[in-house]
Amino acid sequence: MQDTDPITASRSSHRSAERIAHLSDWLRLEQANGVGVRGAHILLRAFGSPRAIFAAGYTALAAHVSASAARALCEPPSAAFMELRDATLAWLDHPAHALVTLGEPDYPDGLAHIPDPPLLLYIRGRRELLARPALAIVGARNATSQGKANAGSFAASLSRAGVCIVSGLALGIDGAAHEGALQGSGSTIAVVGTGADLSYPTRHRALAERIARDGCMVSEFALGTPPNPGNFPRRNRIISGLSAGVLVVEAAEQSGSLITARVAGEQGREVFALPGSIHAPLAKGCHKLIREGARLVDSANDILESLRISPLAPELAAPMPTETSCLGLLGHLGHGPVDIDTLLLRSGSTVGALSLELLALEMAGLLERLPGGKVQRVVV
């Protein structure tokens, strides 16, 4: 589908007439009303390039897409489109920004072979990371402290082994995975559900800037695209498409993370899942995946073995961290959610003394309070 020379890193290529025409054609196809990604792929298979599509005429186009889409493709570029095009070209003047079109050599090979790959990839940061071995880590937005600790630990260990961690910059597991991955040489890729010029969620603005500097941010959405709800399920295919496999850390039975896992399986990627307590709602989705064939893992080396990457040395693996000893109240807590009455029976303590101990553990980051008056030990 390539119809011009490959993209180069120089600013002059962004401003050359040929490059401007190339990007304008692809952007115009992406923005055409009623066409969509699937319709664009149908047209690209029929005509070969965006330029040929716009030269084909209404009758030829209407044989492949709806009449309204064919008419939209025959209309001249609007003032709004020209404004978007100019803003995109100005955005590309930044040396850390890039726009790669389907069929160009810089377009990630694994992503190019999924169903309906993105027409355009807007990139901020280190785009060489797109060619590295990668694993996606996804999970619940309302994750537990333990889930976030596990996501960060796995991401850090895998990144130290040279694996790039891909996730979606959401709150909860995604953010913890990005934070952990930035600790290693593998770094991280954030696939966002907005334009690449926006920061969402706002609570991750500082993290997004770190990723844009030390990792890579990727979007298929035009600049200025707001966080529309439909964007996030759509971007899941990119998260899995950039990765050799997907690790689900915490997920409820109806979690959106299960969509990413399903898409990964359809793309031929391996799906991994962390087990949890049978009493924990956020373990239900992972247990469902395991019953359906996902690989149960409890260390980073389990994943590295599956990806055929050299295992980490024991001191670097940091699979699911545990205390070396579990004395006193920590021992009575166990590893699943527990209510206060049960703790009183186990410990033989008084309500007052137990409350003080729980507060101390919570302040030390070793305990998390859950809905329903339950508490759970946090492994750090």
Side-chain angles (χ1 to χ4, degrees):
M1 298 177 187
Q2 182 179 345
D3 60 357
T4 67
D5 292 335
I7 190 171
T8 68
S10 68
R11 290 191 180 188
S12 62
S13 68
H14 294 153
R15 290 303 189 186
S16 71
E18 185 176 15
R19 183 64 184 167
I20 289 173
H22 172 78
L23 293 179
S24 295
D25 288 342
W26 280 91
L27 187 58
R28 185 180 166 195
L29 176 61
E30 178 194 53
Q31 293 292 304
N33 289 331
V35 176
V37 175
R38 188 157 297 177
H41 283 292
I42 292 171
L43 292 169
L44 288 168
R45 285 192 291 271
F47 298 101
S49 73
R51 190 164 301 175
I53 291 171
F54 292 116
Y58 174 81
T59 302
L61 294 172
H64 301 280
V65 294
S66 68
S68 60
R71 282 194 296 270
L73 290 166
C74 292
E75 294 172 355
S78 66
F81 169 79
M82 298 304 292
E83 184 177 347
L84 174 63
R85 188 203 69 167
D86 291 345
T88 302
L89 292 172
W91 183 81
L92 286 171
D93 277 340
H94 192 290
H97 297 172
L99 183 56
V100 179
T101 66
L102 183 65
E104 290 186 316
D106 280 357
Y107 196 97
D109 185 64
L111 190 60
H113 292 93
I114 69 169
D116 300 328
L119 302 181
L120 298 168
L121 290 179
Y122 298 78
I123 301 166
R124 290 177 62 194
R126 300 169 53 197
R127 58 178 170 162
E128 74 272 11
L129 295 178
L130 294 168
R132 285 196 180 176
L135 178 88
I137 297 182
V138 297
R141 285 175 171 80
N142 60 332
T144 65
S145 296
Q146 187 65 73
K148 289 184 281 190
N150 289 340
S153 175
F154 268 79
S157 295
L158 291 164
S159 180
R160 291 186 189 108
V163 177
C164 186
I165 302 302
V166 183
S167 198
L169 199 59
L171 300 175
I173 296 301
D174 287 18
H178 289 306
E179 293 274 8
L182 287 169
Q183 300 176 29
S185 62
S187 195
T188 190
I189 296 170
V191 182
V192 298
T194 66
D197 56 330
L198 303 181
S199 290
Y200 181 84
T202 54
R203 283 165 58 184
H204 277 172
R205 188 185 304 276
L207 176 59
E209 291 305 315
R210 287 175 58 203
I211 294 172
R213 182 185 68 242
D214 301 325
C216 181
M217 294 187 67
V218 174
S219 176
E220 70 172 316
F221 300 106
L223 299 181
T225 301
N228 299 318
N231 294 356
F232 297 94
R234 178 175 161 186
R235 63 93 192 266
N236 289 344
R237 80 192 195 287
I238 304 177
I239 293 175
S240 55
L242 289 171
S243 309
V246 173
L247 169 64
V248 182
V249 176
E250 282 187 335
E253 283 189 286
Q254 303 301 320
S255 170
S257 300
L258 302 189
I259 299 175
T260 307
R262 175 181 56 78
V263 171
E266 293 171 353
Q267 293 173 350
R269 273 59 168 172
E270 187 156 7
V271 178
F272 307 93
L274 283 187
S277 167
I278 61 172
H279 304 292
L282 291 179
K284 300 295 185 184
C286 292
H287 294 169
K288 178 181 179 182
L289 290 174
I290 292 168
R291 288 194 299 272
E292 293 174 351
R295 180 170 175 179
L296 184 156
V297 295
D298 59 14
S299 77
N301 278 338
D302 290 341
I303 296 171
L304 293 173
E305 175 188 353
S306 180
L307 299 181
R308 294 180 172 83
I309 297 174
S310 298
L312 289 158
E315 65 272 15
L316 295 178
M320 293 182 66
T322 60
E323 295 90 356
T324 55
S325 62
C326 297
L327 302 176
L329 185 55
L330 281 177
H332 296 304
L333 278 168
H335 289 278
V338 60
D339 58 60
I340 303 302
D341 289 338
T342 301
L343 272 180
L344 286 169
L345 288 173
R346 289 178 184 175
S347 64
S349 182
T350 65
V351 173
L354 181 63
S355 297
L356 289 174
E357 288 184 87
L358 290 174
L359 178 60
L361 288 175
E362 186 177 14
M363 292 178 67
L366 296 175
L367 178 134
E368 177 181 18
R369 296 189 184 272
L370 304 175
K374 293 185 177 182
V375 295
Q376 182 172 4
R377 174 179 167 190
V378 174
V379 180
V380 295

